[in-house]
Amino acid sequence: MTEQRTFVIVGAGLAGAKAAETLREEGFTGRVVLIGAEPQRPYERPPLSKGLLLGTAEPDSAYVHEPDWYDRHDVELRTGSAAHAVDRDRRRVRLAAGEEIGYDRLLLATGARPRTLSVPGARLDGVHHLRTLTDSERIAAAVHGGTRLVIIGAGWIGLEVAAAARARGAAVTVVETAPLPLHRVLGDRLARFFADLHTGHDVRFHFGSGIREICGTATVSHVVLDDGTELPADAVLVAVGVVPCTGLAEAAGLPVDNGILVDHRLGTADPHVFAAGDVANVDHPLLGHRIRVEHWATALHTGPVAARAMLGRPVTYDRLPYFFTDQYDLGMEYAGWVAPGAGTDLVVRGSLEDREFIAFWTRQGRVVAGMNVNVWEVTDQIQALIQAGLTTGATVAPDRLADPDVPLEALLS
Ligand SMILES: Cc1cc2nc3c(=O)[nH]c(=O)nc-3n(C[C@H](O)[C@H](O)[C@H](O)COP(=O)(O)OP(=O)(O)OC[C@H]3O[C@@H](n4cnc5c(N)ncnc54)[C@H](O)[C@@H]3O)c2cc1C
């Protein structure tokens, strides 16, 4: 029997592209429409603040599929085409241009957009955000030897751009309201480690500082901090986090609370509508609470799970959050989840001074998260420790956790 159903995916980022790929891999022969607001075919964002800014990655390396993949797999890719509204009663998506597309199943993979500042001057020329390939190209064009770059926000993207900009020869100043970079995520000791990494590369920090104003006439000239300090700037990057793109879902009456609320199979309250990637706030069965994760690996893995759920397969999304970053000669992977403000202990195996270590966050002896810095091929073992803590309550003695002579595999025995 010929498959008559139409599956529509709104959001042609990594999650949307992987969902389309999975529908075909799973043998779905109906119509697949992938709608993306950006002009490019789906691409991955991590290189935008790393290899593409450094000039070490080929621009084409970011794309999820070869250009002809969509035709070859009969996926109707509509780039430069924003979905404007979802009519759940009639099961139709309306595009900005007015066209309507009916769906049997709908996946919302609309991702997130950069948070903006509301201070005067925030829209001046020379003030950048970084989410898209176009943003990355603009920043690359604006930042070179001698550029005075002020980065507002010392989160992962702010720090990655700081590293890339230093490699491009720019003078970099980072302004952050918290006392240290990544302080809320990493805590004092490791936040200090990242601050030292960057000051060692001549990045200047202003911690505990907000922005009063961004000044300039035609283009930006300086940034004024809360305390009146003026920082000269040829370019400014605002990197103060993202907000999930939930507008379509909200207007369609779907439950939204810090993302689109989905169950363990990424289904919304409407059995015909699913959500994946940065925009999905998932009821995570292993963690026992909801999480919305803004990581590459989540987009990579939730897209396929949502696709299988759309096909009616029994699925559960229970992967642990996983994140990576590269800054200068430091490579890092992080797995697990520490709720902000949760009381945890930090155990370090290896040497912070040598920048080669694994940091574990534990709660009541259970490993809840782990971060390997310039130590490789340990993610599976770290995740196994976290899984064991979550599923069986397994605890690990801190002295064994810290001891590099005890293999990670042996910690659970
Ligand atoms: C510069 C940068 C560096 C990063 N580096 C890392 C890293 O090192 N490690 C890591 O783990 N994660 C990293 N991330 C995060 C990671 O890239 C995201 O988690 C991932 O892109 C999320 O994928 P997504 O498909 O859910 O959403 P997105 O990538 O945001 O894609 C969503 C797409 O939907 C489109 N869209 C939105 N609304 C509509 C609409 N109404 N109609 C049509 N289309 C719409 C958007 O234009 C966008 O193209 C980085 C992100 C950025 C921006």
Side-chain angles (χ1 to χ4, degrees), residues 54-72:
L54 287 162
T56 55
E58 291 296 322
D60 277 358
S61 63
Y63 289 106
V64 181
H65 297 116
E66 293 296 317
D68 64 350
W69 184 91
Y70 300 91
D71 280 349
R72 283 195 287 111

Side-chain angles (χ1 to χ4, degrees), residues 24-233:
R24 290 302 184 224
E25 278 174 5
E26 293 283 328
F28 179 66
T29 55
R31 187 178 175 209
V32 177
V33 187
L34 177 56
I35 301 167
E38 291 184 65
Q40 299 88 355
R41 70 184 190 273
Y43 59 87
E44 305 192 8
R45 298 184 197 275
L48 307 186
S49 50
K50 308 179 189 67
L52 291 181
L53 269 193
L54 287 162
T56 55
E58 291 296 322
D60 277 358
S61 63
Y63 289 106
V64 181
H65 297 116
E66 293 296 317
D68 64 350
W69 184 91
Y70 300 91
D71 280 349
R72 283 195 287 111
H73 292 83
D74 199 16
V75 170
E76 286 177 45
L77 175 63
R78 309 285 192 93
T79 53
S81 180
H84 204 65
V86 173
D87 180 339
R88 291 199 291 123
D89 293 331
R90 294 167 58 231
R91 280 198 234 144
R92 300 183 84 77
V93 173
R94 194 171 75 247
L95 303 188
E99 183 189 351
E100 289 197 355
I101 304 173
Y103 65 81
D104 295 281
R105 297 285 180 276
L106 172 67
L107 174 63
L108 297 174
T110 46
R113 62 174 181 278
R115 202 181 288 281
T116 52
L117 292 178
S118 53
V119 298
R123 289 166 184 268
L124 274 172
D125 258 11
V127 178
H128 301 268
H129 298 84
L130 177 51
R131 185 72 190 177
T132 66
L133 207 43
T134 312
D135 295 335
S136 178
E137 286 164 357
R138 283 200 190 116
I139 293 167
V143 175
H144 33 75
T147 304
R148 294 163 305 175
L149 172 67
V150 173
I151 298 176
I152 302 170
W156 296 115
I157 287 181
L159 295 184
E160 288 179 359
V161 174
R166 287 296 301 125
R168 296 175 77 89
V172 179
T173 305
V174 179
V175 183
E176 166 61 53
T177 48
L180 284 168
L182 303 164
H183 190 244
R184 203 172 55 95
V185 189
L186 299 181
D188 282 343
R189 194 168 164 205
L190 287 166
R192 168 64 55 201
F193 169 82
F194 274 94
D196 291 346
L197 172 72
H198 284 269
T199 47
H201 286 85
D202 295 327
V203 171
R204 295 181 53 205
F205 283 105
H206 287 263
F207 292 121
S209 286
I211 305 295
R212 182 189 295 171
E213 189 175 2
I214 303 174
C215 300
T217 43
T219 182
V220 65
S221 61
H222 58 282
V223 173
V224 185
L225 306 188
D226 279 343
D227 64 3
T229 304
E230 293 191 3
L231 304 175

Side-chain angles (χ1 to χ4, degrees), residues 191-342:
R192 168 64 55 201
F193 169 82
F194 274 94
D196 291 346
L197 172 72
H198 284 269
T199 47
H201 286 85
D202 295 327
V203 171
R204 295 181 53 205
F205 283 105
H206 287 263
F207 292 121
S209 286
I211 305 295
R212 182 189 295 171
E213 189 175 2
I214 303 174
C215 300
T217 43
T219 182
V220 65
S221 61
H222 58 282
V223 173
V224 185
L225 306 188
D226 279 343
D227 64 3
T229 304
E230 293 191 3
L231 304 175
D234 306 304
V236 172
L237 173 72
V238 177
V240 293
V242 295
V243 284
C245 296
T246 53
L248 272 184
E250 263 174 282
L254 289 166
V256 164
D257 180 10
N258 178 31
I260 302 171
L261 298 184
V262 290
D263 59 19
H264 65 279
R265 40 187 286 287
L266 309 181
T268 68
D270 179 332
H272 302 102
V273 186
F274 299 77
D278 277 11
V279 79
N281 186 341
V282 185
D283 195 357
H284 197 287
L286 199 53
L287 296 173
H289 55 78
R290 288 195 165 279
I291 49 163
R292 190 179 64 76
V293 178
E294 298 157 0
H295 296 344
W296 168 87
T298 306
L300 184 75
H301 296 300
T302 51
V305 169
R308 291 188 187 101
M310 290 162 87
L311 291 166
R313 310 271 154 80
V315 288
T316 291
Y317 185 76
D318 60 2
R319 276 183 177 263
L320 290 170
Y322 164 88
F323 173 79
F324 63 91
T325 184
D326 298 312
Q327 298 169 32
Y328 311 105
D329 56 356
L330 177 144
M332 176 283 252
E333 296 172 288
Y334 180 103
W337 183 258
V338 180

Side-chain angles (χ1 to χ4, degrees), residues 319-387:
R319 276 183 177 263
L320 290 170
Y322 164 88
F323 173 79
F324 63 91
T325 184
D326 298 312
Q327 298 169 32
Y328 311 105
D329 56 356
L330 177 144
M332 176 283 252
E333 296 172 288
Y334 180 103
W337 183 258
V338 180
T344 50
D345 297 311
L346 183 70
V347 179
V348 175
R349 162 185 288 235
S351 158
L352 263 64
E353 291 69 34
D354 295 340
R355 297 201 173 130
E356 236 181 77
F357 63 90
I358 307 175
F360 297 97
W361 285 263
T362 67
R363 191 178 305 132
Q364 293 162 347
R366 295 176 197 163
V367 177
V368 292
M371 177 172 108
N372 46 304
V373 171
N374 291 339
V375 174
W376 302 111
E377 317 238 329
V378 291
T379 296
D380 287 350
Q381 294 95 312
I382 293 172
Q383 297 210 5
L385 285 170
I386 301 168
Q387 298 253 5

